[in-house]
Amino acid sequence: MNNFNFYSPTYFAFGKGREADAGKYVKRFGGSRVLIHYGSGSVVKSGLLERIKASLLKENIHYVELGGVLPNPRSGLVYQGIEICKREKLDFVLAVGGGSAIDSAKAIALGAVYEGDYWDFYQGKRVENALKVGTILTLSAAGSEGSNSSVITLEEGMLKRACGGDVMRPVFSILNPELTCTLPAYQTACGATDMMAHVMERYFTNTQNVEITDRLCEGILLSIIKEVPKALANPNDYEARANIMWAGMVAHNDICGVGRDSDWSTHQMEHELSGLYDVAHGAGLAVMFPAWMKYVMHHDVQRFAQFAVRVWGCEMDFQCPENTAKQGILKYEQFLSSIGMPIRFDELGAKEEDIELLVKTLGLGNRTLGSFVKLTEGDVRKIYELAVY
Ligand code: NZQ
Ligand code: ZN
């Protein structure tokens, strides 16, 4: 196991009705003037936004609202949010929604205390300071409610880029599984695919002797595989929603990634797809992850066979572990299809003729991508090609 630091200071309030205490938590974590930030209307329609505002008013907390965050959140709205925070001297950003609202809130929090252009941070500038962010989560998926990162799409050229740092972990996150019962089946499935990908980016590693994190990863995957079909069959299944919600958090706050190298090449290849076609991140991952697996499998057949046996219940073929490894990838693809995910370019709406453009915007040049297998630009092209058929 590698040396590591693990700093995950988010306070989680989990369970039914917990959003009623949003105002108390803002106060407890030092907020007095708040920007409430949300998406395109689901939180208005559900009445959640009104409940949050009432909770803030109860604690005499001043607030300003900024809605309109789109999935794959755009840079332009972030500038508006920063301007509001500076003008109104706000000291706290409260995100109400999914990963997009939270990521946009994190970006605003960075820019509100920075004199330059906040996009600098998404081009690699070190993150050191930000306003505090709290979240009320309505979609189990991205894990941004506990993660140290944010992903924003620059409207000019639709470039999707990430940035991260300790100060970007929310100070609190309210997780009420009931709030996810209104999710369309497609978003539930996209969310599950994303959280599985967060685990697998960490699971496929070259680091040896990481039994504890291997087993955590496998446990999270097994739980998602068991609970997601239940939530799809009965969207109001509270227990399934609750398990899925916590799975999304533990999949990405890095508790299952510490002490081991993690990969992230599939996420970066996917960000080019959701940047170019504005598709859901989870759906893009459903197309890219199996393709990546098929391409890199021979690097460590044993690890893929372990994944097949422990996660997908495949029988080990001792004569030919490669068969077992392939079987695991097939079962993973079948699961994705069974929950309504696309697994090939055309099902996603992606086009083979855009592969060159995807490779170009990824902008690898002579560098490599990932760590399990260090991918060259040529490898990336081949993986996109594998995702076509
Ligand atoms: O905008 P509204 O009206 O709220 O509708 C949203 C949106 O259309 C809807 N929705 C959310 N909660 C709902 C609901 N509809 C009904 N009932 C509810 N309870 O769902 C749609 C998708 O929302 P979005 O926030 O975009 O989805 P998600 O949570 O999957 O976030 C995706 C974004 O997170 C990024 C992705 O790249 C993508 O931009 N990621 C962020 C990460 C991080 N910060 O750590 C890591 C991830 O790997 C990921 O890259
Ligand atoms: Zn993701």
Side-chain angles (χ1 to χ4, degrees):
M1 197 187 293
N2 302 334
N3 288 2
F4 65 85
N5 299 318
F6 182 58
Y7 177 72
S8 179
T10 307
Y11 182 103
F12 292 99
F14 190 101
K16 293 181 184 174
R18 304 303 301 271
E19 66 276 11
D21 289 333
K24 280 189 194 151
Y25 288 116
V26 170
K27 205 176 216 178
R28 174 171 172 170
F29 289 97
S32 58
R33 298 176 64 79
V34 175
L35 180 73
I36 307 179
H37 198 41
Y38 56 93
S40 303
S42 73
V43 302
V44 178
K45 202 170 145 199
S46 67
L48 175 63
L49 187 65
E50 283 309 312
R51 300 208 297 282
I52 300 302
K53 290 200 272 190
S55 173
L56 295 183
L57 283 178
K58 210 168 146 198
E59 299 294 328
N60 293 317
I61 293 168
H62 171 78
Y63 64 78
V64 180
E65 281 177 53
L66 178 64
V69 182
L70 296 174
N72 301 317
R74 311 297 203 269
S75 53
L77 192 69
V78 174
Y79 287 109
Q80 275 186 48
I82 292 169
E83 202 270 317
I84 294 171
C85 285
K86 287 185 173 171
R87 191 182 65 222
E88 302 274 333
K89 299 194 173 18
L90 304 182
D91 56 17
F92 198 99
V93 189
L94 183 61
V96 189
S100 294
I102 300 174
D103 283 2
S104 186
K106 288 177 174 179
I108 292 171
L110 281 176
V113 294
Y114 182 57
E115 286 310 312
D117 182 345
Y118 87 92
W119 192 251
D120 294 347
F121 298 110
Y122 291 78
Q123 289 184 306
K125 187 178 168 65
R126 198 182 150 85
V127 170
E128 275 164 0
N129 200 9
L131 292 184
K132 285 180 181 164
V133 173
T135 86
I136 292 122
L137 185 67
T138 64
L139 201 177
S140 316
S144 193
E145 67 276 15
S147 84
N148 67 352
S149 55
S150 154
V151 189
I152 300 291
T153 300
L154 186 68
E155 274 144 321
E156 251 181 274
M158 291 298 274
L159 276 186
K160 198 173 183 188
R161 294 293 176 262
C163 92
D166 277 347
V167 294
M168 292 170 74
R169 301 231 191 215
V171 289
F172 74 81
S173 283
I174 295 177
L175 273 52
N176 174 359
E178 288 175 315
L179 301 179
T180 65
C181 292
T182 52
L183 280 169
Y186 187 71
Q187 286 299 341
T188 301
C190 285
T193 307
D194 190 17
M195 46 183 101
M196 289 177 84
H198 294 161
V199 173
M200 295 186 303
E201 296 277 17
R202 294 168 165 105
Y203 189 76
F204 292 100
T205 183
N206 296 316
T207 314
Q208 299 298 307
N209 301 315
V210 281
E211 184 69 10
I212 173 66
T213 38
D214 266 6
R215 293 293 185 175
L216 282 173
C217 287
E218 289 157 4
I220 297 166
L221 290 172
L222 284 165
S223 309
I224 295 169
I225 293 162
K226 185 167 174 210
E227 299 299 325
V228 169
K230 290 191 205 165
L232 291 174
N234 175 11
N236 292 318
D237 183 335
Y238 178 83
E239 298 301 338
R241 293 288 189 186
N243 280 287
I244 294 168
M245 197 166 216
W246 194 240
M249 205 299 290
V250 292
H252 198 41
N253 83 332
D254 212 28
I255 194 152
C256 61
V258 294
R260 54 200 288 149
D261 293 336
S262 44
D263 191 77
W264 299 105
S265 59
T266 310
H267 261 70
Q268 291 193 51
M269 289 186 283
E270 190 296 313
H271 283 168
E272 299 312 323
L273 282 177
S274 45
L276 181 62
Y277 301 113
D278 203 12
V279 291
H281 169 61
L285 288 167
V287 171
M288 292 312 298
F289 230 110
W292 174 83
M293 287 178 162
K294 288 171 200 166
Y295 193 75
V296 302
M297 187 192 88
H298 291 101
H299 172 69
D300 189 348
V301 169
Q302 203 59 37
R303 180 150 281 272
F304 274 93
Q306 175 179 304
F307 171 71
V309 171
R310 292 188 186 169
V311 177
W312 298 103
C314 299
E315 208 170 306
M316 183 68 190
D317 183 337
F318 293 99
Q319 298 296 323
C320 183
E322 192 180 321
N323 285 342
T324 314
K326 282 185 182 159
Q327 194 62 28
I329 299 171
L330 183 66
K331 288 241 183 174
Y332 168 46
E333 278 192 327
Q334 286 169 345
F335 175 76
L336 292 172
S337 292
S338 77
I339 61 170
M341 285 289 92
I343 54 169
R344 295 288 183 270
F345 254 45
D346 61 338
E347 295 173 75
L348 183 70
K351 299 192 187 83
E352 188 174 5
E353 55 267 31
D354 287 338
I355 288 179
E356 273 319 304
L357 180 61
L358 292 163
V359 172
K360 193 170 153 233
T361 38
L362 186 62
L364 212 51
N366 292 325
R367 291 176 297 125
T368 59
L369 187 66
S371 87
F372 184 64
V373 173
K374 292 190 188 326
L375 305 171
T376 63
E377 201 163 84
D379 295 322
V380 167
R381 186 177 292 110
K382 283 181 192 149
I383 294 172
Y384 279 127
E385 283 166 5
L386 270 178
V388 174
Y389 301 106

